[in-house]
Amino acid sequence: MPSPTDIDDLGGPGVPLQFSEPISWKLGRPPIAISTLMKRLKQLLTELCELEQATVDRQSLAIAARDLCAPALMQHKDKGVKAFVACGLAEMLRLHAPDAPYTAGQLRVSFSPPYATGEG
């Protein structure tokens, strides 16, 4: 019997994402503390970077992919959070290529450059 990390010729189960910590929150709920959020995003990014496109179980990426494109994260006030989110989105695109897990509308939420917001 094949192990859960084996890929069969029909695109069977692959290596699953192990990360399961929450990185987003619902409106009306208190946001995750920046230090906790940064730690979780770093952990997620580290694991995403270690996964290989050819062997990853794409279904196991679904929750993290959805949470990474949450407006609360993409428009977060902390630049470090935004940087980790941008890198996480890039890794999700790499792992899903050529089938992006995001629509153009989801990615349209901008990471405003400092000159556009009057900062810096």
Side-chain angles (χ1 to χ4, degrees):
M1 171 153 203
S3 75
T5 58
D6 290 338
I7 299 283
D8 63 28
D9 290 340
L10 301 174
V15 178
L17 178 69
Q18 298 298 313
F19 181 84
S20 63
E21 296 288 329
I23 57 171
S24 67
W25 56 94
K26 295 184 182 197
L27 288 175
R29 295 224 141 171
I32 299 169
I34 292 175
S35 60
T36 302
L37 185 56
M38 292 282 286
K39 186 180 193 179
R40 290 176 184 175
L41 288 169
K42 182 177 181 181
Q43 180 184 359
L44 172 60
L45 182 60
T46 299
E47 188 175 346
L48 289 174
C49 288
E50 292 171 356
L51 294 171
E52 296 293 329
Q53 181 187 24
T55 59
V56 69
D57 174 8
R58 290 185 185 176
Q59 290 181 347
S60 72
L61 302 174
I63 293 171
R66 180 200 65 208
D67 290 349
L68 278 170
C69 74
L73 287 179
M74 294 181 75
Q75 297 174 333
H76 200 278
K77 63 182 178 182
D78 186 87
K79 291 178 183 179
V81 169
K82 281 183 168 180
F84 275 121
V85 170
C87 292
L89 289 169
E91 285 299 311
M92 285 294 183
L93 290 170
R94 175 185 68 83
L95 292 168
H96 283 87
D99 303 314
Y102 307 108
T103 65
Q106 288 173 307
L107 294 176
R108 197 161 288 141
V109 176
S110 66
F111 293 96
S112 301
Y115 59 83
T117 60
E119 297 176 23

